[in-house]
Amino acid sequence: MELEKTLLRKVGEAIQRFKMIRAGDRVAVALSGGKDSSTLLEALLLLAQRAPIEFSVCAFTVEQGKFLRPIEPLGEYLKHRGVAWTYFRDAPSLRLLEDQPDHGCDLCSRYRRRAVYEIARELGANVIAFGHTADDFCEALLRNTMFTGRLSALPPVTVSRNREYRLIRPLVFVTEDITRAYAEALGVPVVPCGCSQRTGTVRRALRDMFGELEREHPHLKENILAAMGNVDTGRLLDPRFLDLDAAAPPELLPILTEG
């Protein structure tokens, strides 16, 4: 179907441009229960069959006690698809939920990251794939710019601190309208997380803002993604990227640099 062709083209472009997957890799897809990571898994399974290099794909889910529906339908779907899936109940995360029910996202993410690396090690994976979409990249850029004072977003590919794993985000060019439509077309069971339903958050505010702007500017996310790959360092405010000596007349340099 045309939707699948679009998805595979965009995922393939990301993998090739950022050298995400290489021959012999074992890729573990972090399934969150949502439409994005499920779409990513399906795309990588298809590409593993068609790509000129050999790589294998498996999947896992970390249970942190925040799913709003039973996880069993997802397990049944993956079993029917013949996908190797690991369901991991993270005891430290479940204790955290009991001891500190109002804990923040940073603490939860730290627990999840530790669990992800532990699972990947048991699965023999050297690559971990996350389902962050183009929407997430755009939101991260604006969130960091407006609330942390840093011009940064998400890395499409990076490595873990000890360089044991390559961490990839192959949906960087895929918007959520594509993942939503594709997951619905396949009948993938979606198991939402309670965190995704929260209101009054910065993320929710940015999503609402994007939705409103896109009604008048339908290519907004495409342009923001293009901007992230087309950085004009000479028009920013970081002195590390500016030739300040060349910008000042030579006769003024001694005056400007004294005292």
Side-chain angles (χ1 to χ4, degrees), residues 181-202:
Y182 191 69
E184 289 177 356
L186 292 182
V188 177
V190 173
V191 185
C193 171
C195 298
S196 65
Q197 308 297 311
R198 292 170 60 188
T199 59
T201 63
V202 169

Side-chain angles (χ1 to χ4, degrees), residues 100-113:
Q100 301 181 48
D102 296 325
H103 62 268
C105 296
D106 289 345
L107 189 56
C108 186
S109 296
R110 196 182 313 152
Y111 277 59
R112 182 168 58 251
R113 187 182 307 115

Side-chain angles (χ1 to χ4, degrees), residues 74-88:
L74 178 60
E76 289 298 319
Y77 171 82
L78 294 171
K79 182 179 179 180
H80 178 72
R81 289 280 288 106
V83 178
W85 178 59
T86 297
Y87 173 61
F88 183 85

Side-chain angles (χ1 to χ4, degrees), residues 15-225:
I15 290 174
Q16 183 176 22
R17 179 179 297 188
F18 301 111
K19 301 179 180 179
M20 293 181 175
I21 297 177
R22 298 150 199 185
D25 280 345
R26 179 162 176 77
V27 183
V29 179
L31 281 182
S32 67
K35 64 189 183 313
D36 301 331
S37 57
S38 294
T39 295
L40 171 61
L41 174 63
E42 294 289 347
L44 291 181
L45 289 171
L46 289 172
L47 289 175
Q49 297 172 0
R50 307 176 187 182
I53 61 171
E54 289 190 9
F55 66 93
S56 61
V57 179
C58 57
F60 67 90
T61 298
V62 179
E63 170 65 78
Q64 292 186 287
K66 297 184 179 181
F67 289 130
L68 299 179
R69 298 175 190 165
I71 199 71
E72 285 78 12
L74 178 60
E76 289 298 319
Y77 171 82
L78 294 171
K79 182 179 179 180
H80 178 72
R81 289 280 288 106
V83 178
W85 178 59
T86 297
Y87 173 61
F88 183 85
R89 287 180 58 85
D90 186 49
S93 291
L94 297 176
R95 285 197 301 270
L96 175 65
L97 198 60
E98 294 178 0
D99 298 340
Q100 301 181 48
D102 296 325
H103 62 268
C105 296
D106 289 345
L107 189 56
C108 186
S109 296
R110 196 182 313 152
Y111 277 59
R112 182 168 58 251
R113 187 182 307 115
R114 177 202 49 76
V116 165
Y117 293 160
E118 181 179 335
I119 296 166
R121 190 174 297 113
E122 292 178 357
L123 292 174
N126 66 310
V127 181
I128 304 172
F130 299 103
H132 296 99
T133 64
D135 300 61
D136 295 308
F137 276 78
C138 293
E139 289 163 14
L141 177 68
L142 291 189
R143 183 173 62 248
N144 290 340
T145 300
M146 294 190 292
F147 298 99
T148 72
R150 291 183 295 115
L151 191 59
S152 66
L154 295 168
V157 59
T158 186
V159 294
S160 58
R161 183 172 298 178
N162 60 3
R163 308 190 71 83
E164 187 175 359
Y165 307 106
R166 192 181 322 128
L167 313 177
I168 64 174
R169 296 177 170 90
L171 297 182
V172 54
F173 298 132
V174 180
T175 53
E176 286 195 7
D177 58 332
I178 293 177
T179 63
R180 184 179 299 106
Y182 191 69
E184 289 177 356
L186 292 182
V188 177
V190 173
V191 185
C193 171
C195 298
S196 65
Q197 308 297 311
R198 292 170 60 188
T199 59
T201 63
V202 169
R203 182 179 182 183
R204 176 64 63 182
L206 289 174
R207 296 223 158 183
D208 293 343
M209 183 183 73
F210 269 121
E212 186 174 340
L213 287 172
E214 282 186 304
R215 281 193 281 273
E216 294 187 21
H217 309 283
H219 300 292
L220 179 65
K221 290 184 186 129
E222 294 176 20
N223 291 336
I224 294 177
L225 282 173

Side-chain angles (χ1 to χ4, degrees), residues 237-258:
L237 305 183
D238 193 330
R240 293 175 299 174
F241 303 112
L242 301 174
D243 189 352
L244 300 178
D245 291 339
E251 63 272 13
L252 292 183
L253 282 177
I255 300 175
L256 295 174
T257 55
E258 286 177 359

